[in-house]
């Protein structure tokens, strides 16, 4: 059978996958739904395998990359998990103090894609800290399905505290200039929005296709926000008009970008939802935004 290409699949398949990975559809319901598209030589198993992340082929960086100085650290999170593990990555040729970025994963723990994103942020000239909200369970388990199951067992407000604590870790790092921003994806997008609400000295927040806080919470936002949305991601996008209205009503600084013809998760280079053109554009905007606001 010829390899599957994303153009071979209906948008409905990607919509079902989005519902499945965000807990709105059981695995059985998802597999049953895929059966309607198992035609012309395609099988349910082949479609499922195609949709799942392929970290082995997609991995871009290793811990011993000589362009980077990277290590796993532990830090205190007294209002959250107590102790947290995180990947800390910075450029090997650092000169002087650098701004910091907290990198927040999706709803499945610190997987290889998010680690790659932290390493890329370091190559772009920042000290990046990527915490693992699955630390209480021993960390990311090696596959996203189990990671989602484990993360669903944690209270999301306690996880928010874990990422808020990471801001202080970077602010006090001897190689950081004290200016810290946050970038997050999906669940991490919600965390990024909420950190803008909850952390008065956060310098910038960049949520990718993240859930939105309440209109009331817009009042306490201090950080400028850059938001990225996928045009086909109707599930997340439906909350944007109310959040934009709240930001405008409270005279908050923000910019928003919609990427045409792409799905939720378009920045994730390990899955077929990845769109290189949109991902590169969004990341370029992200880094420019951080350079502007973090120094």
């Amino acid at each position: 059978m010829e390899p599957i290409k994303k153009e071979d699949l209906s948008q409905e398949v990607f919509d079902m996958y989005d519902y499945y990975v965000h807990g709105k559809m059981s695995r059985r319901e998802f597999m049953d739904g895929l059966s309607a598209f198992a035609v012309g030589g395609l099988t349910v198993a082949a479609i499922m395998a195609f949709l799942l992340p392929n970290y082995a082929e997609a991995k871009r960086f290793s811990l011993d990359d000589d362009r980077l100085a990277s290590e796993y650290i532990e830090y205190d999170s007294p209002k959250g998990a107590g102790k947290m593990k995180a990947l800390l990555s910075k450029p090997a040729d650092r000169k002087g103090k650098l701004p910091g970025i907290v990198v927040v994963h999706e709803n499945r723990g610190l997987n290889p894609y998010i680690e790659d994103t932290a390493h890329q942020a370091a190559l772009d000239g920042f000290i990046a800290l990527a915490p693992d909200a699955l630390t209480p369970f021993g960390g990311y388990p090696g596959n996203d399905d189990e990671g989602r199951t484990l993360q669903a067992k944690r209270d999301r407000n306690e996880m928010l505290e874990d990422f808020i604590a990471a801001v202080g870790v970077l602010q006090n790092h001897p190689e950081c200039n004290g200016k810290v921003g946050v970038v997050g994806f999906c669940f991490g997008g919600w965390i990024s929005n909420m950190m803008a609400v909850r952390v008065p000295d956060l310098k910038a927040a960049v949520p990718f296709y993240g859930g939105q806080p309440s209109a009331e919470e817009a009042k306490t936002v201090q950080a400028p926000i850059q938001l990225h949305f996928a045009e086909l991601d109707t599930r997340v996008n439906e909350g944007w008009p109310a959040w934009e209205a709240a930001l405008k009503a409270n005279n908050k600084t923000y910019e928003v970008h919609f990427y045409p013809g792409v799905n939720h998760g378009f920045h994730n280079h390990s899955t077929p939802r990845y769109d290189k053109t949109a991902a590169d554009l969004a990341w370029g905007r992200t880094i420019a935004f951080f350079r502007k606001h973090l120094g």
Side-chain angles (χ1 to χ4, degrees):
M1 186 177 71
E2 289 292 321
I4 301 174
K5 301 185 293 292
K6 64 180 178 181
E7 294 80 11
D8 296 331
L9 300 179
S10 162
Q11 179 59 35
E12 188 176 349
V13 171
F14 290 100
D15 291 342
M16 285 193 301
Y17 180 72
D18 181 73
Y19 271 69
Y20 165 60
V21 298
H22 294 98
K24 298 182 181 298
M25 179 181 287
S26 71
R27 184 180 181 88
R28 172 49 56 194
E29 290 171 329
F30 178 51
M31 299 291 277
D32 288 346
L34 288 184
S35 65
F37 300 92
V39 296
L42 291 177
T43 66
V44 169
I47 298 172
M48 184 69 166
F50 174 73
L51 292 169
L52 294 175
N54 188 335
Y55 295 127
E57 289 188 6
K59 197 79 173 77
R60 294 175 173 175
F61 302 98
S62 64
L63 199 64
D64 59 358
D65 191 309
D66 59 11
R67 297 169 296 174
L68 300 166
S70 304
E71 61 179 327
Y72 293 102
I73 67 167
E74 284 191 348
Y75 66 91
D76 293 328
S77 177
K79 295 181 180 179
K83 287 286 185 182
M84 284 288 291
K85 179 183 176 181
L87 172 66
L88 181 71
S89 189
K90 54 194 176 183
D93 60 353
R94 176 191 61 84
K95 294 179 177 66
K97 295 191 174 186
L98 299 175
I101 299 175
V102 178
V103 181
V104 189
H105 59 68
E106 308 139 304
N107 66 337
R108 61 211 71 170
L110 182 59
N111 62 29
Y113 152 61
I114 297 297
E115 290 191 332
D116 273 356
T117 303
H119 289 313
Q120 184 62 59
L123 279 186
D124 289 327
F126 299 85
I127 299 178
L129 186 66
D132 189 351
L134 300 186
T135 299
F137 305 110
Y140 175 70
N143 70 84
D144 283 11
D145 277 350
E146 188 177 350
R148 281 191 297 271
T149 299
L150 292 174
Q151 191 162 319
K153 295 179 180 179
R154 290 208 61 197
D155 179 87
R156 73 174 188 164
N157 290 307
E158 287 188 1
M159 288 188 282
L160 173 58
E161 294 292 350
D162 293 330
F163 291 100
I164 289 174
V167 174
V169 173
L170 282 178
Q171 287 173 329
N172 294 310
H173 194 284
E175 296 170 69
C176 181
N177 67 3
K179 296 179 180 179
V180 177
V182 60
V183 61
F185 306 86
C186 185
F187 163 80
W190 175 78
I191 291 286
S192 299
N193 276 318
M194 290 303 299
M195 285 172 65
V197 168
R198 293 277 304 279
V199 184
D201 55 353
L202 189 74
K203 299 304 181 184
V206 182
F208 276 68
Y209 27 84
Q212 300 86 11
S214 69
E216 182 69 16
E217 288 169 317
K219 294 178 180 179
T220 60
V221 169
Q222 299 299 317
I225 306 174
Q226 182 186 75
L227 305 105
H228 301 276
F229 293 102
E231 180 190 36
L232 302 178
D233 185 11
T234 56
R235 178 180 57 83
V236 170
N237 296 354
E238 66 180 3
W240 167 240
W243 182 228
E244 181 177 36
L247 292 172
K248 284 182 176 179
N250 289 279
N251 297 309
K252 302 305 179 181
T253 301
Y254 75 93
E255 62 181 70
V256 60
H257 303 283
F258 280 81
Y259 298 85
V262 300
N263 279 288
H264 183 100
F266 71 82
H267 183 265
N268 186 337
H269 56 270
S270 71
T271 83
R273 295 182 297 174
Y274 174 60
D275 185 282
K276 178 174 171 51
T277 299
D280 289 350
L281 178 58
W283 188 250
R285 286 168 168 166
T286 297
I287 292 302
F289 190 74
F290 282 140
R291 286 174 178 160
K292 176 182 177 179
H293 293 288
L294 305 184

